[in-house]
Amino acid sequence: MIISENISLLRYNTFQIDVAAKYFAEIKSENDFSELLREEKFRSQQKLILGGGSNILFTKSFDGIVVKNSFTGISIVKEDENCVWVRAAAGEVWHQFVLWCIEKNLAGLENLSLIPGQVGAAPMQNIGAYGVEIRDLFDELEAIEIATGEKVNFKNAECEFGYRESVFKNKFKNQFLISAVTFRLNKIPKFNVNYGDIKMTLDEMRVNDLTIKAVSDAVIKIRSSKLPDPKVLGNAGSFFKNPVISKEEFESFISKNPLANNYPQKDGTVKVPAGWLIEQCGWKGKVVGNTGSHKSQALVLVNYGGATGNEVYQLALDIQKSVQDKFGVTIQPEVNLV
Ligand code: FAD
Ligand code: EPU
């Protein structure tokens, strides 16, 4: 394990923010991590576990040790008549893992194709897209408690998954390194193609027989046309979560904004698209210094080159305030601020 000092994190975050880390270690095994935790020099240092850096905004240099997870390995753990349990190490690239499952004809994760980042970060915010969230397929995860080095397993209910939420983003923030995740996948697909443009895209692709691969290809096609590629334009996907408001708040909101799209939830609350709210406030496509709200997806804030984390954060605060002032609705960041 090589530990570097005072290195730039520019190539380790998709927002392409140029801040430094006091120390940086790439860990390839649990042993590497144990060794790091035992080192006297690092014991009192703040630790930040990093995956692909695609859901993080650095607003300042990190005065501690950044631990880049590079654990690898994908394996089938067990199977029964209907399901196959697949374990993936935290450092596997999420999309490569999804493709691995598709190649083995294992269904469930195809709607989550092309989400950037690594497997270990997926439970952090219960990643989701096109009507599927990982909690629908998640069996358990293995973690290491940073303070003690103890190994702990978390079953689905213990992760307290919610919309872009989990126990690891809240009560246990920065307390565990997730080392591997096991998913229960289906031998017989239960396709979920009702969301958004999936059906239309499958028609355009002239798909007659639905397959796991075809759904994945459709999702990839939609995502590639809608979301900016972080390799070309720094971003971290949706900067804010879609606000979920009470039935009463929604009734008042929709009477004033009858054209707003909305998604009623099972518990009576209603999800309102933050992208629409932000667009209505005039931010879509607006360039502010080196940053801005993307021209085809207002919810995605971008770095046009050389932006600081604080510049992006200030833009986010200004957007948040204008949505609050115009609609009385609070939008909260999805991205992890460091
Ligand atoms: P990082 O950004 O490295 O880390 C995110 C958080 O997790 C940090 O707090 C970090 O400390 C913590 N963390 C990372 N790895 C570990 C670990 N092994 N153990 C403990 N903590 C850890 N998200 C969606 O849900 N749906 C989408 O459709 C989606 N689309 C996106 C599109 C684009 C273009 C981009 C850039 C992002 C998108 N995202 C989406 C957000 C992002 O891809 C996910 O949140 C992803 O899971 C982040 O993975 P990562 O490895 O890059 O995490
Ligand atoms: N909209 C606008 N203007 C915009 C953007 C969106 O009016 O500039 C409207 C759309 O017309 C649509 C609604 O908002 O009616 C929803 O838009 P879209 O389908 O593009 O999805 P989203 O709510 O903006 C969410 C996730 C994405 C995920 C997609 C597909 C959140 C915060 N974002 O985006 O996840 O890929 O749905 O499922 O839930 C991420 O988390 O980083 C992310 C990209």
Side-chain angles (χ1 to χ4, degrees), residues 87-141:
R87 175 187 184 276
E92 290 288 343
V93 172
W94 174 261
H95 182 58
Q96 296 308 319
F97 167 59
V98 172
L99 293 180
W100 188 97
C101 298
I102 293 170
E103 202 169 284
K104 300 264 179 307
N105 233 359
L106 299 174
L109 298 176
E110 55 279 4
N111 293 40
L112 304 178
S113 297
L114 212 62
I115 296 182
Q118 298 184 177
V119 168
M124 288 292 299
Q125 67 160 12
N126 173 33
I127 57 168
Y130 298 97
V132 175
E133 293 179 327
I134 63 152
R135 70 169 151 193
D136 306 332
L137 291 313
F138 177 98
D139 181 46
E140 66 170 0
L141 65 77

Short mmCIF file of all heavy atoms in Angstrom, two decimals, residues 87-141:
data_model
loop_
_atom_site.label_atom_id
_atom_site.label_comp_id
_atom_site.label_asym_id
_atom_site.label_seq_id
_atom_site.Cartn_x
_atom_site.Cartn_y
_atom_site.Cartn_z
N ARG A 87 -22.09 -11.59 -4.80
CA ARG A 87 -21.34 -10.70 -3.90
C ARG A 87 -20.31 -9.93 -4.73
O ARG A 87 -19.56 -10.53 -5.49
CB ARG A 87 -20.64 -11.53 -2.83
CG ARG A 87 -19.73 -10.74 -1.90
CD ARG A 87 -18.97 -11.71 -0.99
NE ARG A 87 -18.14 -11.02 -0.01
CZ ARG A 87 -16.92 -10.58 -0.24
NH1 ARG A 87 -16.38 -10.71 -1.44
NH2 ARG A 87 -16.23 -9.97 0.72
N ALA A 88 -20.31 -8.60 -4.56
CA ALA A 88 -19.32 -7.79 -5.27
C ALA A 88 -18.53 -6.98 -4.27
O ALA A 88 -19.09 -6.40 -3.32
CB ALA A 88 -20.01 -6.87 -6.27
N ALA A 89 -17.22 -6.94 -4.48
CA ALA A 89 -16.37 -6.14 -3.59
C ALA A 89 -16.58 -4.65 -3.87
O ALA A 89 -16.96 -4.26 -4.98
CB ALA A 89 -14.91 -6.53 -3.80
N ALA A 90 -16.34 -3.85 -2.83
CA ALA A 90 -16.71 -2.42 -2.86
C ALA A 90 -16.04 -1.61 -3.96
O ALA A 90 -16.60 -0.64 -4.44
CB ALA A 90 -16.40 -1.80 -1.50
N GLY A 91 -14.84 -2.04 -4.38
CA GLY A 91 -14.11 -1.24 -5.36
C GLY A 91 -14.47 -1.57 -6.80
O GLY A 91 -13.94 -0.94 -7.73
N GLU A 92 -15.36 -2.53 -7.01
CA GLU A 92 -15.78 -2.84 -8.39
C GLU A 92 -16.57 -1.64 -8.94
O GLU A 92 -17.38 -1.04 -8.23
CB GLU A 92 -16.69 -4.09 -8.41
CG GLU A 92 -15.96 -5.38 -8.10
CD GLU A 92 -15.03 -5.84 -9.24
OE1 GLU A 92 -15.18 -5.36 -10.37
OE2 GLU A 92 -14.16 -6.69 -8.97
N VAL A 93 -16.35 -1.36 -10.22
CA VAL A 93 -17.10 -0.27 -10.86
C VAL A 93 -18.55 -0.73 -11.03
O VAL A 93 -18.80 -1.83 -11.54
CB VAL A 93 -16.46 0.08 -12.23
CG1 VAL A 93 -17.33 1.06 -13.01
CG2 VAL A 93 -15.06 0.65 -12.02
N TRP A 94 -19.49 0.11 -10.56
CA TRP A 94 -20.90 -0.29 -10.54
C TRP A 94 -21.38 -0.80 -11.90
O TRP A 94 -21.96 -1.89 -12.01
CB TRP A 94 -21.78 0.88 -10.06
CG TRP A 94 -23.22 0.53 -10.17
CD1 TRP A 94 -24.09 0.89 -11.16
CD2 TRP A 94 -23.96 -0.34 -9.29
NE1 TRP A 94 -25.32 0.31 -10.96
CE2 TRP A 94 -25.26 -0.45 -9.82
CE3 TRP A 94 -23.64 -1.04 -8.12
CZ2 TRP A 94 -26.24 -1.22 -9.21
CZ3 TRP A 94 -24.62 -1.83 -7.52
CH2 TRP A 94 -25.90 -1.90 -8.06
N HIS A 95 -21.14 -0.02 -12.96
CA HIS A 95 -21.69 -0.40 -14.27
C HIS A 95 -21.07 -1.71 -14.78
O HIS A 95 -21.77 -2.52 -15.39
CB HIS A 95 -21.47 0.75 -15.27
CG HIS A 95 -22.04 0.45 -16.62
ND1 HIS A 95 -23.37 0.16 -16.83
CD2 HIS A 95 -21.44 0.39 -17.86
CE1 HIS A 95 -23.57 -0.08 -18.12
NE2 HIS A 95 -22.43 0.05 -18.76
N GLN A 96 -19.79 -1.92 -14.50
CA GLN A 96 -19.15 -3.18 -14.92
C GLN A 96 -19.80 -4.35 -14.18
O GLN A 96 -19.98 -5.44 -14.75
CB GLN A 96 -17.63 -3.16 -14.64
CG GLN A 96 -16.87 -2.11 -15.42
CD GLN A 96 -17.15 -2.20 -16.91
OE1 GLN A 96 -17.22 -3.28 -17.47
NE2 GLN A 96 -17.35 -1.05 -17.54
N PHE A 97 -20.13 -4.13 -12.92
CA PHE A 97 -20.81 -5.16 -12.14
C PHE A 97 -22.20 -5.47 -12.73
O PHE A 97 -22.58 -6.64 -12.89
CB PHE A 97 -20.92 -4.71 -10.67
CG PHE A 97 -21.84 -5.54 -9.83
CD1 PHE A 97 -21.64 -6.91 -9.69
CD2 PHE A 97 -22.95 -4.96 -9.21
CE1 PHE A 97 -22.51 -7.69 -8.93
CE2 PHE A 97 -23.82 -5.73 -8.46
CZ PHE A 97 -23.60 -7.09 -8.31
N VAL A 98 -22.93 -4.41 -13.09
CA VAL A 98 -24.25 -4.61 -13.70
C VAL A 98 -24.11 -5.42 -14.99
O VAL A 98 -24.85 -6.39 -15.22
CB VAL A 98 -24.94 -3.24 -13.97
CG1 VAL A 98 -26.23 -3.42 -14.78
CG2 VAL A 98 -25.23 -2.52 -12.65
N LEU A 99 -23.10 -5.07 -15.80
CA LEU A 99 -22.89 -5.80 -17.07
C LEU A 99 -22.53 -7.26 -16.81
O LEU A 99 -22.95 -8.15 -17.54
CB LEU A 99 -21.80 -5.12 -17.90
CG LEU A 99 -22.13 -3.72 -18.44
CD1 LEU A 99 -20.97 -3.18 -19.25
CD2 LEU A 99 -23.40 -3.73 -19.29
N TRP A 100 -21.75 -7.51 -15.76
CA TRP A 100 -21.37 -8.88 -15.38
C TRP A 100 -22.65 -9.69 -15.10
O TRP A 100 -22.80 -10.83 -15.57
CB TRP A 100 -20.48 -8.82 -14.13
CG TRP A 100 -19.85 -10.11 -13.69
CD1 TRP A 100 -18.59 -10.53 -13.97
CD2 TRP A 100 -20.43 -11.13 -12.84
NE1 TRP A 100 -18.35 -11.75 -13.37
CE2 TRP A 100 -19.46 -12.14 -12.67
CE3 TRP A 100 -21.66 -11.29 -12.21
CZ2 TRP A 100 -19.68 -13.29 -11.90
CZ3 TRP A 100 -21.90 -12.43 -11.45
CH2 TRP A 100 -20.90 -13.41 -11.30
N CYS A 101 -23.58 -9.08 -14.36
CA CYS A 101 -24.83 -9.78 -14.02
C CYS A 101 -25.66 -10.04 -15.27
O CYS A 101 -26.24 -11.11 -15.45
CB CYS A 101 -25.65 -8.95 -13.02
SG CYS A 101 -24.78 -8.71 -11.46
N ILE A 102 -25.71 -9.03 -16.16
CA ILE A 102 -26.50 -9.16 -17.39
C ILE A 102 -25.94 -10.29 -18.25
O ILE A 102 -26.68 -11.11 -18.80
CB ILE A 102 -26.54 -7.82 -18.15
CG1 ILE A 102 -27.33 -6.78 -17.34
CG2 ILE A 102 -27.15 -7.99 -19.55
CD1 ILE A 102 -27.26 -5.37 -17.85
N GLU A 103 -24.61 -10.35 -18.32
CA GLU A 103 -23.98 -11.40 -19.11
C GLU A 103 -24.33 -12.80 -18.59
O GLU A 103 -24.46 -13.75 -19.34
CB GLU A 103 -22.47 -11.19 -19.05
CG GLU A 103 -21.74 -11.84 -20.20
CD GLU A 103 -20.31 -11.36 -20.20
OE1 GLU A 103 -20.09 -10.21 -20.61
OE2 GLU A 103 -19.46 -12.13 -19.75
N LYS A 104 -24.53 -12.89 -17.27
CA LYS A 104 -24.88 -14.19 -16.66
C LYS A 104 -26.40 -14.41 -16.69
O LYS A 104 -26.91 -15.31 -16.05
CB LYS A 104 -24.41 -14.24 -15.19
CG LYS A 104 -22.91 -14.09 -15.00
CD LYS A 104 -22.24 -15.45 -14.89
CE LYS A 104 -20.75 -15.39 -14.71
NZ LYS A 104 -19.96 -14.62 -15.65
N ASN A 105 -27.11 -13.46 -17.34
CA ASN A 105 -28.56 -13.54 -17.44
C ASN A 105 -29.27 -13.40 -16.09
O ASN A 105 -30.32 -14.00 -15.87
CB ASN A 105 -28.97 -14.85 -18.11
CG ASN A 105 -29.88 -14.58 -19.27
OD1 ASN A 105 -30.22 -13.42 -19.56
ND2 ASN A 105 -30.30 -15.64 -19.94
N LEU A 106 -28.68 -12.64 -15.21
CA LEU A 106 -29.28 -12.42 -13.90
C LEU A 106 -29.99 -11.07 -13.92
O LEU A 106 -29.40 -10.05 -14.28
CB LEU A 106 -28.21 -12.44 -12.81
CG LEU A 106 -27.45 -13.76 -12.72
CD1 LEU A 106 -26.30 -13.67 -11.73
CD2 LEU A 106 -28.41 -14.89 -12.33
N ALA A 107 -31.27 -11.09 -13.55
CA ALA A 107 -32.10 -9.89 -13.72
C ALA A 107 -32.27 -9.10 -12.43
O ALA A 107 -32.19 -9.65 -11.33
CB ALA A 107 -33.46 -10.30 -14.25
N GLY A 108 -32.53 -7.82 -12.59
CA GLY A 108 -32.86 -6.96 -11.45
C GLY A 108 -32.16 -5.61 -11.49
O GLY A 108 -32.76 -4.59 -11.15
N LEU A 109 -30.91 -5.63 -11.94
CA LEU A 109 -30.13 -4.38 -11.87
C LEU A 109 -30.09 -3.64 -13.20
O LEU A 109 -29.48 -2.57 -13.29
CB LEU A 109 -28.68 -4.68 -11.42
CG LEU A 109 -28.53 -5.29 -10.02
CD1 LEU A 109 -27.07 -5.62 -9.74
CD2 LEU A 109 -29.05 -4.34 -8.94
N GLU A 110 -30.77 -4.18 -14.24
CA GLU A 110 -30.61 -3.60 -15.59
C GLU A 110 -31.05 -2.13 -15.67
O GLU A 110 -30.46 -1.35 -16.41
CB GLU A 110 -31.32 -4.47 -16.64
CG GLU A 110 -32.79 -4.77 -16.42
CD GLU A 110 -33.04 -5.92 -15.44
OE1 GLU A 110 -32.07 -6.46 -14.86
OE2 GLU A 110 -34.21 -6.27 -15.24
N ASN A 111 -32.08 -1.74 -14.87
CA ASN A 111 -32.52 -0.33 -14.92
C ASN A 111 -31.48 0.60 -14.29
O ASN A 111 -31.56 1.81 -14.44
CB ASN A 111 -33.85 -0.15 -14.18
CG ASN A 111 -34.99 -0.86 -14.88
OD1 ASN A 111 -34.82 -1.96 -15.38
ND2 ASN A 111 -36.15 -0.23 -14.93
N LEU A 112 -30.53 0.01 -13.57
CA LEU A 112 -29.50 0.82 -12.88
C LEU A 112 -28.19 0.85 -13.67
O LEU A 112 -27.14 1.16 -13.12
CB LEU A 112 -29.26 0.27 -11.46
CG LEU A 112 -30.52 0.18 -10.59
CD1 LEU A 112 -30.20 -0.40 -9.23
CD2 LEU A 112 -31.14 1.56 -10.42
N SER A 113 -28.28 0.53 -14.96
CA SER A 113 -27.10 0.56 -15.83
C SER A 113 -26.56 1.99 -15.91
O SER A 113 -27.33 2.96 -15.86
CB SER A 113 -27.48 0.12 -17.25
OG SER A 113 -27.93 -1.21 -17.24
N LEU A 114 -25.26 2.05 -16.10
CA LEU A 114 -24.53 3.31 -16.37
C LEU A 114 -24.53 4.34 -15.23
O LEU A 114 -24.13 5.48 -15.43
CB LEU A 114 -25.04 3.96 -17.67
CG LEU A 114 -24.00 4.74 -18.47
CD1 LEU A 114 -22.87 3.88 -18.94
CD2 LEU A 114 -24.63 5.46 -19.66
N ILE A 115 -24.97 3.96 -14.03
CA ILE A 115 -24.81 4.89 -12.91
C ILE A 115 -23.32 4.89 -12.57
O ILE A 115 -22.72 3.84 -12.40
CB ILE A 115 -25.67 4.46 -11.69
CG1 ILE A 115 -27.15 4.53 -12.05
CG2 ILE A 115 -25.36 5.34 -10.47
CD1 ILE A 115 -28.10 4.19 -10.91
N PRO A 116 -22.71 6.09 -12.51
CA PRO A 116 -21.27 6.12 -12.20
C PRO A 116 -20.97 5.65 -10.78
O PRO A 116 -21.88 5.53 -9.95
CB PRO A 116 -20.91 7.61 -12.35
CG PRO A 116 -22.02 8.22 -13.12
CD PRO A 116 -23.24 7.43 -12.77
N GLY A 117 -19.70 5.40 -10.51
CA GLY A 117 -19.29 5.09 -9.14
C GLY A 117 -19.00 3.62 -8.92
O GLY A 117 -18.99 2.82 -9.86
N GLN A 118 -18.76 3.28 -7.68
CA GLN A 118 -18.36 1.93 -7.29
C GLN A 118 -19.46 1.24 -6.48
O GLN A 118 -20.33 1.89 -5.90
CB GLN A 118 -17.08 2.02 -6.46
CG GLN A 118 -15.92 2.61 -7.24
CD GLN A 118 -14.61 2.62 -6.49
OE1 GLN A 118 -13.60 3.03 -7.05
NE2 GLN A 118 -14.58 2.19 -5.23
N VAL A 119 -19.34 -0.07 -6.41
CA VAL A 119 -20.34 -0.89 -5.69
C VAL A 119 -20.46 -0.45 -4.22
O VAL A 119 -21.56 -0.36 -3.68
CB VAL A 119 -19.96 -2.38 -5.79
CG1 VAL A 119 -20.77 -3.23 -4.84
CG2 VAL A 119 -20.13 -2.88 -7.23
N GLY A 120 -19.33 -0.15 -3.58
CA GLY A 120 -19.34 0.16 -2.14
C GLY A 120 -20.13 1.40 -1.79
O GLY A 120 -20.62 1.53 -0.66
N ALA A 121 -20.28 2.32 -2.74
CA ALA A 121 -21.02 3.55 -2.45
C ALA A 121 -22.51 3.38 -2.74
O ALA A 121 -23.32 4.20 -2.30
CB ALA A 121 -20.47 4.70 -3.29
N ALA A 122 -22.88 2.33 -3.48
CA ALA A 122 -24.28 2.18 -3.89
C ALA A 122 -25.26 2.17 -2.71
O ALA A 122 -26.32 2.81 -2.76
CB ALA A 122 -24.44 0.93 -4.76
N PRO A 123 -24.92 1.47 -1.60
CA PRO A 123 -25.87 1.50 -0.47
C PRO A 123 -25.92 2.85 0.26
O PRO A 123 -26.89 3.12 0.96
CB PRO A 123 -25.33 0.42 0.48
CG PRO A 123 -24.36 -0.38 -0.32
CD PRO A 123 -23.81 0.54 -1.35
N MET A 124 -24.87 3.65 0.11
CA MET A 124 -24.82 4.94 0.83
C MET A 124 -26.10 5.73 0.63
O MET A 124 -26.67 6.27 1.56
CB MET A 124 -23.65 5.79 0.32
CG MET A 124 -22.30 5.32 0.72
SD MET A 124 -22.03 5.49 2.47
CE MET A 124 -22.20 7.24 2.70
N GLN A 125 -26.53 5.84 -0.64
CA GLN A 125 -27.76 6.60 -0.89
C GLN A 125 -28.80 5.73 -1.61
O GLN A 125 -29.68 6.25 -2.26
CB GLN A 125 -27.47 7.86 -1.67
CG GLN A 125 -26.98 7.67 -3.09
CD GLN A 125 -27.18 8.92 -3.93
OE1 GLN A 125 -27.47 9.98 -3.40
NE2 GLN A 125 -27.03 8.81 -5.23
N ASN A 126 -28.63 4.39 -1.47
CA ASN A 126 -29.63 3.51 -2.06
C ASN A 126 -29.88 3.95 -3.50
O ASN A 126 -30.97 4.40 -3.86
CB ASN A 126 -30.93 3.59 -1.21
CG ASN A 126 -32.11 2.85 -1.81
OD1 ASN A 126 -31.93 1.84 -2.47
ND2 ASN A 126 -33.29 3.37 -1.59
N ILE A 127 -28.84 3.84 -4.33
CA ILE A 127 -28.92 4.40 -5.68
C ILE A 127 -30.16 3.90 -6.43
O ILE A 127 -30.59 2.75 -6.23
CB ILE A 127 -27.64 4.13 -6.52
CG1 ILE A 127 -27.30 2.65 -6.64
CG2 ILE A 127 -26.47 4.93 -6.02
CD1 ILE A 127 -26.24 2.35 -7.70
N GLY A 128 -30.68 4.77 -7.25
CA GLY A 128 -31.90 4.42 -7.95
C GLY A 128 -32.00 5.10 -9.30
O GLY A 128 -31.38 6.14 -9.53
N ALA A 129 -32.74 4.50 -10.20
CA ALA A 129 -33.04 5.11 -11.49
C ALA A 129 -34.11 4.28 -12.19
O ALA A 129 -34.17 3.06 -12.01
CB ALA A 129 -31.79 5.17 -12.38
N TYR A 130 -34.94 4.96 -12.96
CA TYR A 130 -35.94 4.31 -13.82
C TYR A 130 -36.79 3.28 -13.05
O TYR A 130 -37.01 2.16 -13.50
CB TYR A 130 -35.25 3.72 -15.07
CG TYR A 130 -34.64 4.86 -15.83
CD1 TYR A 130 -33.30 5.17 -15.67
CD2 TYR A 130 -35.44 5.70 -16.59
CE1 TYR A 130 -32.76 6.29 -16.28
CE2 TYR A 130 -34.91 6.82 -17.19
CZ TYR A 130 -33.58 7.10 -17.04
OH TYR A 130 -33.08 8.22 -17.62
N GLY A 131 -37.25 3.73 -11.87
CA GLY A 131 -38.22 2.94 -11.11
C GLY A 131 -37.64 1.81 -10.27
O GLY A 131 -38.40 1.03 -9.69
N VAL A 132 -36.30 1.71 -10.18
CA VAL A 132 -35.68 0.65 -9.36
C VAL A 132 -34.67 1.30 -8.40
O VAL A 132 -34.02 2.27 -8.75
CB VAL A 132 -34.95 -0.38 -10.27
CG1 VAL A 132 -34.20 -1.41 -9.45
CG2 VAL A 132 -35.94 -1.07 -11.20
N GLU A 133 -34.61 0.76 -7.19
CA GLU A 133 -33.58 1.19 -6.23
C GLU A 133 -32.85 -0.06 -5.76
O GLU A 133 -33.43 -1.15 -5.79
CB GLU A 133 -34.22 1.87 -5.02
CG GLU A 133 -34.89 3.18 -5.32
CD GLU A 133 -35.53 3.82 -4.10
OE1 GLU A 133 -36.02 3.09 -3.21
OE2 GLU A 133 -35.56 5.05 -4.04
N ILE A 134 -31.61 0.10 -5.28
CA ILE A 134 -30.89 -1.14 -4.91
C ILE A 134 -31.56 -1.87 -3.76
O ILE A 134 -31.40 -3.08 -3.63
CB ILE A 134 -29.38 -0.95 -4.63
CG1 ILE A 134 -29.13 -0.07 -3.45
CG2 ILE A 134 -28.60 -0.57 -5.86
CD1 ILE A 134 -27.82 -0.42 -2.76
N ARG A 135 -32.32 -1.14 -2.92
CA ARG A 135 -32.96 -1.86 -1.80
C ARG A 135 -33.88 -2.98 -2.29
O ARG A 135 -34.18 -3.91 -1.56
CB ARG A 135 -33.71 -0.90 -0.88
CG ARG A 135 -34.95 -0.31 -1.46
CD ARG A 135 -35.76 0.39 -0.39
NE ARG A 135 -36.52 1.49 -0.96
CZ ARG A 135 -37.11 2.41 -0.25
NH1 ARG A 135 -37.02 2.41 1.07
NH2 ARG A 135 -37.78 3.37 -0.82
N ASP A 136 -34.35 -2.87 -3.54
CA ASP A 136 -35.24 -3.90 -4.10
C ASP A 136 -34.49 -5.22 -4.32
O ASP A 136 -35.11 -6.28 -4.43
CB ASP A 136 -35.82 -3.44 -5.45
CG ASP A 136 -36.51 -2.09 -5.35
OD1 ASP A 136 -37.01 -1.78 -4.25
OD2 ASP A 136 -36.53 -1.35 -6.35
N LEU A 137 -33.16 -5.16 -4.47
CA LEU A 137 -32.36 -6.35 -4.80
C LEU A 137 -31.30 -6.65 -3.74
O LEU A 137 -30.61 -7.66 -3.81
CB LEU A 137 -31.61 -6.13 -6.13
CG LEU A 137 -32.34 -6.05 -7.47
CD1 LEU A 137 -33.34 -7.18 -7.62
CD2 LEU A 137 -33.00 -4.72 -7.71
N PHE A 138 -31.17 -5.75 -2.78
CA PHE A 138 -30.08 -5.83 -1.80
C PHE A 138 -30.33 -6.95 -0.79
O PHE A 138 -31.42 -7.06 -0.24
CB PHE A 138 -30.01 -4.48 -1.08
CG PHE A 138 -29.00 -4.39 0.02
CD1 PHE A 138 -27.75 -3.80 -0.21
CD2 PHE A 138 -29.27 -4.85 1.30
CE1 PHE A 138 -26.82 -3.69 0.81
CE2 PHE A 138 -28.35 -4.75 2.32
CZ PHE A 138 -27.12 -4.17 2.08
N ASP A 139 -29.29 -7.76 -0.54
CA ASP A 139 -29.42 -8.78 0.50
C ASP A 139 -28.70 -8.32 1.77
O ASP A 139 -29.31 -8.13 2.81
CB ASP A 139 -28.87 -10.11 0.01
CG ASP A 139 -29.01 -11.18 1.06
OD1 ASP A 139 -30.10 -11.29 1.65
OD2 ASP A 139 -28.03 -11.90 1.33
N GLU A 140 -27.37 -8.13 1.66
CA GLU A 140 -26.63 -7.65 2.84
C GLU A 140 -25.32 -7.02 2.41
O GLU A 140 -24.89 -7.16 1.26
CB GLU A 140 -26.35 -8.80 3.81
CG GLU A 140 -25.41 -9.84 3.27
CD GLU A 140 -24.96 -10.84 4.33
OE1 GLU A 140 -25.37 -10.75 5.50
OE2 GLU A 140 -24.17 -11.72 3.97
N LEU A 141 -24.71 -6.30 3.35
CA LEU A 141 -23.37 -5.77 3.07
C LEU A 141 -22.44 -6.09 4.22
O LEU A 141 -22.88 -6.35 5.35
CB LEU A 141 -23.41 -4.27 2.75
CG LEU A 141 -23.84 -3.25 3.81
CD1 LEU A 141 -22.75 -2.98 4.85
CD2 LEU A 141 -24.20 -1.94 3.11
#
